[in-house]
Amino acid sequence: MESGAAMTDVVNLYDAKARLSRLIDRATAGEEVIIARAGKPLVRLVPVDGLSPRQPGLLKGLVVPDSLFDPLPEDEQALWE
C-alpha cells in the first residue's frame, strides 16, 4: 500500500448494524468503509462535505400558502356542514 493512502475496510451488513457509530467515526476520519452483504460490496460509507446548517423559515410562504388558513367562503363552508 502507498504511504499516506487511506485504509479500506470491508464490513458485512450484520456487523455494520452493530458498529455503525464506530464505522461513521472511521469514515469521517478519512478511512474508506465498504459495507457488504454475503461478501458482495453494496455501499461505501463516506463523509458528506459542504452541508450547511438548516435555516428555519427558508421556505416560508412556499410550502403552505398563507391563504390556507383563511376562512372558507360561506357557500363552501355550508357544503362541509
Side-chain angles (χ1 to χ4, degrees):
M1 182 182 288
E2 298 175 22
S3 63
M7 285 183 42
T8 299
D9 190 16
V10 178
V11 180
N12 77 41
L13 186 57
Y14 180 81
D15 291 335
K17 286 190 233 182
R19 306 182 334 183
L20 184 59
S21 183
R22 283 182 270 165
L23 294 174
I24 289 172
D25 289 341
R26 290 168 56 185
T28 57
E31 186 174 339
E32 182 177 38
V33 177
I34 295 176
I35 300 175
R37 181 184 294 141
K40 180 181 176 187
L42 297 175
V43 297
R44 182 178 303 133
L45 190 59
V46 296
V48 176
D49 295 327
L51 281 183
S52 58
R54 292 181 59 183
Q55 297 177 1
L58 188 62
L59 298 176
K60 185 176 181 173
L62 297 177
V63 178
V64 177
D66 291 332
S67 64
L68 180 68
F69 300 104
D70 292 345
L72 290 174
E74 288 183 28
D75 58 330
E76 287 185 44
Q77 181 67 35
L79 295 173
W80 287 96
E81 295 176 353

